C-alpha cells in the first residue's frame, strides 16, 4: 500500500504518517505549507487537486481541515471549501484510480443532547465547522459505498509539536503561568490520543472495511476537569486554575456532550483497552515529551 495522507503536518496526520512508516507502509505526505519532505498542495484549488492526482498512491487518508469552530464561524465559505468541497474532490480522485479512501470526521456532526451517539443516529450539527464536516461526509457517501468515514472527538497528541495540541498545550501554559486561569466547565469532551486514532485508521484500512465508524477516548471531562487531571499527572499545582461556569460568549456553539459510541469498531475486532487520559498524560510526561 502507498498511503497518501493529507494534513500530514497536522496533529493527527503526523501520527498517522509516523505509525504507517513504523509499520513499513510507504507514505506520501501532503500539507498546505512548504516543508522539507512534504508535498505542498492547497486542496481548495484546482492546482492542488491536480498535484495530488499526479502523485503515486493507492490509499488516501484525508485529515486536512479547518478544525477550529470559531475560525470556521467567521469564514463559512472557506470552511465549506476545505472541509466539504475538497473532501468530495479527493474522494473522486480515489474513485478514479480504485484506491482506498478514509475521511476523518467529527463528533460535532451531532447536537450533543442525547448521547451516546451511534453511527446511524440522526445528525444535526450546531456550528459551521460541524455542518461543513458533515458536507464532507455526504460528499464521500455520494461518491462510493466502499469508502470509510471515521468520526473522532477532541484530539491530543505530540507528533506535530505541542502547540498543535491545544488541549494539552494551553493547559500546561496555564499551569506554568503562575496566574489565575479560567477553564470552562460545561462542555463534556472525550480526549482521544492521536496515536490511538492512527492505529484505528490503519486497522480499518487493513480490514478493507467500508462505511462510517467512530472512535473515542472513553473518559469524559470538561476543560476544567482535564486541567485538574493534567496537573495531577504532571505533579503541577492546579491552585490557579479557576472554574468557568459557562463557555466564552464569543465562542461558536458546541455540543454539550456528543459522546461517540464505538461498538461497531469493537465488533470489527478493534481492541479498545487503552490507558486513561490521566495515565496517558503521565506516560508522555515521564517520557519527557510534554516539556518541563
Ligand atoms: N483536533 C481535534 O480536536 C479534532 C477533533 C475531531 C475531529 N478532528 C478532525 O481531525 C482531522 C485532523 O485535525 P488536526 O487537529 O490534525 O488538524 P490540524 O492539526 O489543524 O492540521 C491541519 C492540517 O491540514 C492542512 N491544511 C490546512 N488547510 C489546507 C489546505 N487548504 N490544503 C491542504 N492542506 C491544508 C495543514 O497543513 P499546514 O500545516 O501546512 O498548514 C495541516 O497539515 C480534521 O479533519 C479534523 O476535522 C480534529
Amino acid at each position: 500500500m502507498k498511503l497518501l495522507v493529507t494534513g500530514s503536518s497536522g496533529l493527527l496526520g503526523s501520527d498517522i504518517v509516523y505509525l504507517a512508516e513504523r509499520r513499513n507502509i510507504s507514505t506520501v505526505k501532503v500539507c498546505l505549507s512548504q516543508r522539507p519532505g512534504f508535498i505542498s498542495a492547497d486542496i481548495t484549488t484546482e492546482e492542488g487537486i491536480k498535484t495530488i492526482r499526479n502523485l503515486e498512491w493507492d490509499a488516501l487518508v484525508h485529515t486536512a481541515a479547518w478544525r477550529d469552530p470559531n475560525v470556521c464561524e467567521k469564514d463559512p465559505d472557506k470552511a465549506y471549501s476545505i472541509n466539504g468541497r475538497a473532501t468530495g474532490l479527493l474522494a473522486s480522485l480515489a474513485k478514479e484510480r480504485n484506491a482506498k479512501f478514509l475521511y476523518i470526521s467529527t463528533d460535532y456532526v451531532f447536537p450533543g443532547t442525547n448521547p451516546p451517539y451511534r453511527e446511524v443516529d440522526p445528525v444535526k450539527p450546531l456550528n459551521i465547522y460541524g455542518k461543513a464536516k458533515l458536507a464532507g461526509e455526504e460528499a464521500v457517501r455520494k461518491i462510493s459505498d466502499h469508502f470509510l468515514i471515521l468520526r473522532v472527538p477532541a484530539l491530543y497528541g505530540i507528533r506535530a509539536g505541542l502547540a498543535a495540541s491545544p488541549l494539552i498545550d494551553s493547559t500546561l501554559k496555564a499551569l506554568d503561568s503562575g496566574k489565575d486561569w479560567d477553564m470552562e466547565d460545561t462542555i463534556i469532551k472525550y480526549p482521544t490520543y492521536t496515536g490511538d486514532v492512527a492505529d484505528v485508521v490503519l486497522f480499518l484500512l487493513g480490514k478493507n472495511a467500508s462505511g462510517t465508524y467512530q472512535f473515542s477516548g472513553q473518559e469524559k471531562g470538561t476543560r476544567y476537569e482535564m486541567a485538574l487531571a493534567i496537573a495531577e499527572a504532571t505533579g503541577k499545582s492546579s491552585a490557579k486554575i479557576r472554574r468557568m461556569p459557562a463557555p466564552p460568549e464569543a465562542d461558536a456553539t458546541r455540543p454539550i456532550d456528543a459522546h461517540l459510541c464505538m461498538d461497531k469498531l469493537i465488533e470489527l475486532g478493534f481492541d479498545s483497552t487503552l490507558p486513561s487520559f490521566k495515565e496517558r498524560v503521565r506516560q508522555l510526561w515521564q517520557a519527557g515529551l510534554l516539556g518541563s
Side-chain angles (χ1 to χ4, degrees), residues 7 9 11-12 32-33 41-43 63 67 82 129 133 153 155:
S9 57
L11 184 64
L12 175 58
L32 178 62
S33 51
D42 181 347
I43 58 170
T63 78
R67 57 130 146 158
I82 176 160
Y129 168 69
K133 291 294 291 182
L155 302 176

Side-chain angles (χ1 to χ4, degrees), residues 2 17 28 30 34 44 52 109 111 146 151 157 172 181 197 199 205 207 228 248 266 281-282 286:
K2 187 147 193 183
V17 167
V28 183
V30 174
Q34 307 272 355
T44 62
I52 294 176
V109 296
H146 297 299
R151 294 184 184 137
L172 288 177
W181 208 295
V197 180
D199 201 14
L205 291 174
K207 285 271 177 196
L228 299 186
I266 294 167
V281 172
R282 185 177 289 124
Q286 284 173 351

